[in-house]
Amino acid sequence: MPLTDPKLIQDAFDAKSNLYSALAKKVSVLIEELLSFEEIRPHSIPSRVKNIESLKKKCIKKAKYVSIDEVTDIVGIRIITLMESDIDRVAEVIEREFEIDKANSIDKRSAIEPDKFGYLSLHYVVRLTDERIKMTEYSQYKDLPFEIQIRSVLQHAWAEIEHDLGYKAQNEIPKLLKRKFSQAASLLEVADRTFNEIKREIDDYVNKVKSQINDPQSEILIDLTSLTTFVEGPMVRKVEDEIISATGIFLSNSISPSLIDRLLRAGFTTIGQLSAYYQKNIEDIKKFEINDYEAASNIVNFVSSPKGFSIHGMCLLKDFRSGADIEEILGLNEEVDENNYIDQDLARETLNVLKRMVH
């Protein structure tokens, strides 16, 4: 007999409500870990448990559910990707790691007709696999179905706006507004494709930089992408690891935002120029940084330095050797108040280290 009595629906839901909430949280964490392992970074992975009023309406309207366990979307997980191209990558993970109910799953992206507007998600109805159910922490969720939706952040934005406007189907839209809806959907679709192209071009650019990272003849200009690739390359990592080992400082995960400007002021414009000078002066760079940190440690206790700190030291060496006004570069010609005396003392120690090295 179909489950259409509101009280019976309420009782069935209440009996498992805690289990539904726990499942939603557990699966969200599991998916996040699975995607991280595949180096897929989603925008977000929200989850929800269907509210009881929506559940009642669905059961009464459909009049086909004999048990609440037959309702497949009481627990819902939404994976929102940054790029549209990530949807299929995420789908591969879901199909590999969960038991897919193919009869109730649908790729609504392919279901949409060419002359229709709007974004539709990839929908899966799934269960935990037998292998995962055997694990103690998942055993209580045996035979519980749940829904996973996958969409890009722009597809999600369209769906949220469309929902907020109150129109869920094309035939619900006033005729005068259909054209504007179509235009808006087209703009988002073009934006999604454009971001995918940009991402591919960035990846191609990074691969190109990697292939030329130690080439003194490289004409690749210094920018955030090329500099980051150079700093995270084996040559700079090896040098900075040796400096860290000798001084005991820690390396942060970020690159100083001023490093590009610093290189340009020192006369470097291409990765080839940077690579050639760095390779030629590796031993002096290590010696300068070690001596500079040791001298500075008498004034202040350093906790960490940004990635690429050795490049900043390289620029100081180059400036000093070329006869640049190093005192001005270090800020020793500036008037300072009593709160900045430590910076001045550090700059003087750096200048003394440079003088000892060069003379």
Side-chain angles (χ1 to χ4, degrees), residues 222 227 256-269 308-309 311-320 324-326 328-330 354:
I222 291 173
L227 181 58
S256 171
S258 64
L259 190 54
I260 293 177
D261 289 338
R262 184 68 187 87
L263 282 164
L264 296 177
R265 289 200 307 272
F268 297 100
T269 58
F309 67 89
I311 294 175
H312 184 271
M314 178 201 71
C315 290
L316 284 173
L317 279 171
K318 184 176 184 294
D319 287 337
F320 190 77
D325 189 341
I326 200 70
E328 181 178 351
I329 291 171
L330 291 171
L354 286 169

Side-chain angles (χ1 to χ4, degrees), residues 158-169:
W158 169 263
E160 290 295 297
I161 294 170
E162 186 181 43
H163 181 269
D164 185 64
L165 292 174
Y167 298 106
K168 296 183 179 180

Side-chain angles (χ1 to χ4, degrees), residues 23 37 41 55 58-59 88 120-121 159 175 180 195-196 236 255 259 304 318-319 326 358:
L23 176 62
F37 184 78
R41 185 167 62 91
L55 179 61
K58 182 168 186 173
C59 290
D88 288 332
L120 296 172
S121 306
K175 189 173 182 180
K180 287 190 175 181
F195 282 127
N196 283 336
V236 176
I255 294 175
L259 190 54
S304 67
K318 184 176 184 294
D319 287 337
I326 200 70
V358 176

Side-chain angles (χ1 to χ4, degrees), residues 162-257:
E162 186 181 43
H163 181 269
D164 185 64
L165 292 174
Y167 298 106
K168 296 183 179 180
Q170 189 184 29
N171 57 16
E172 296 179 355
I173 309 254
K175 189 173 182 180
L176 290 174
L177 295 179
K178 284 184 179 180
R179 182 173 177 80
K180 287 190 175 181
F181 264 79
S182 296
Q183 289 172 335
S186 296
L187 288 172
L188 285 176
E189 189 172 347
V190 169
D192 240 350
R193 290 176 184 164
T194 301
F195 282 127
N196 283 336
E197 291 171 4
I198 291 172
K199 177 65 166 58
R200 283 196 298 271
E201 289 174 9
I202 288 174
D203 290 342
D204 290 343
Y205 179 57
V206 169
N207 290 332
K208 179 182 177 182
V209 173
K210 286 181 178 178
S211 70
Q212 300 182 27
I213 204 66
N214 295 324
D215 181 4
Q217 306 302 318
S218 174
E219 294 296 322
I220 293 175
L221 296 177
I222 291 173
D223 56 32
L224 182 59
T225 299
S226 61
L227 181 58
T228 300
T229 306
F230 181 80
V231 167
E232 294 179 348
M235 180 168 61
V236 176
R237 285 207 315 267
K238 183 174 185 297
V239 169
E240 296 192 348
D241 284 346
E242 291 180 19
I243 296 169
I244 289 168
S245 177
T247 60
I249 63 168
F250 295 97
L251 191 66
S252 69
N253 291 324
S254 60
I255 294 175
S256 171

Side-chain angles (χ1 to χ4, degrees), residues 294-310:
E294 288 177 349
S297 66
N298 296 321
I299 301 170
V300 65
N301 182 28
F302 281 99
V303 177
S304 67
S305 284
K307 285 182 180 178
F309 67 89
S310 62

Side-chain angles (χ1 to χ4, degrees), residues 5-14 17 20 49-60 68 74:
D5 184 327
K7 185 178 186 308
L8 292 178
I9 297 169
Q10 179 78 58
D11 291 345
F13 178 82
D14 288 345
S17 61
Y20 294 140
V49 175
K50 201 175 194 72
N51 69 63
I52 184 59
E53 295 307 319
S54 295
L55 179 61
K56 288 177 183 177
K57 287 179 182 177
K58 182 168 186 173
C59 290
I60 294 170
I68 196 171
I74 294 179

Side-chain angles (χ1 to χ4, degrees), residues 89-222:
R89 294 180 64 204
V90 172
E92 288 179 6
V93 175
I94 299 304
E95 291 184 15
R96 185 184 69 229
E97 298 291 341
F98 295 90
E99 181 183 317
I100 308 297
D101 180 350
K102 293 183 178 179
N104 290 303
S105 299
I106 182 172
D107 186 350
K108 292 189 175 182
R109 299 172 302 170
S110 59
I112 194 168
E113 297 178 23
D115 62 339
K116 299 296 189 292
F117 61 86
Y119 275 110
L120 296 172
S121 306
L122 175 56
H123 287 220
Y124 286 108
V125 172
V126 308
R127 289 176 173 80
L128 296 173
T129 61
D130 290 340
E131 290 77 9
R132 192 158 270 122
I133 288 296
K134 290 176 183 177
M135 303 177 188
T136 303
E137 63 267 36
Y138 294 105
S139 59
Q140 62 181 326
Y141 308 119
K142 179 178 173 59
D143 296 329
L144 278 181
F146 52 95
E147 184 180 74
I148 296 177
Q149 296 181 8
I150 312 171
R151 59 172 60 150
S152 75
V153 67
L154 288 183
Q155 291 171 344
H156 179 66
W158 169 263
E160 290 295 297
I161 294 170
E162 186 181 43
H163 181 269
D164 185 64
L165 292 174
Y167 298 106
K168 296 183 179 180
Q170 189 184 29
N171 57 16
E172 296 179 355
I173 309 254
K175 189 173 182 180
L176 290 174
L177 295 179
K178 284 184 179 180
R179 182 173 177 80
K180 287 190 175 181
F181 264 79
S182 296
Q183 289 172 335
S186 296
L187 288 172
L188 285 176
E189 189 172 347
V190 169
D192 240 350
R193 290 176 184 164
T194 301
F195 282 127
N196 283 336
E197 291 171 4
I198 291 172
K199 177 65 166 58
R200 283 196 298 271
E201 289 174 9
I202 288 174
D203 290 342
D204 290 343
Y205 179 57
V206 169
N207 290 332
K208 179 182 177 182
V209 173
K210 286 181 178 178
S211 70
Q212 300 182 27
I213 204 66
N214 295 324
D215 181 4
Q217 306 302 318
S218 174
E219 294 296 322
I220 293 175
L221 296 177
I222 291 173

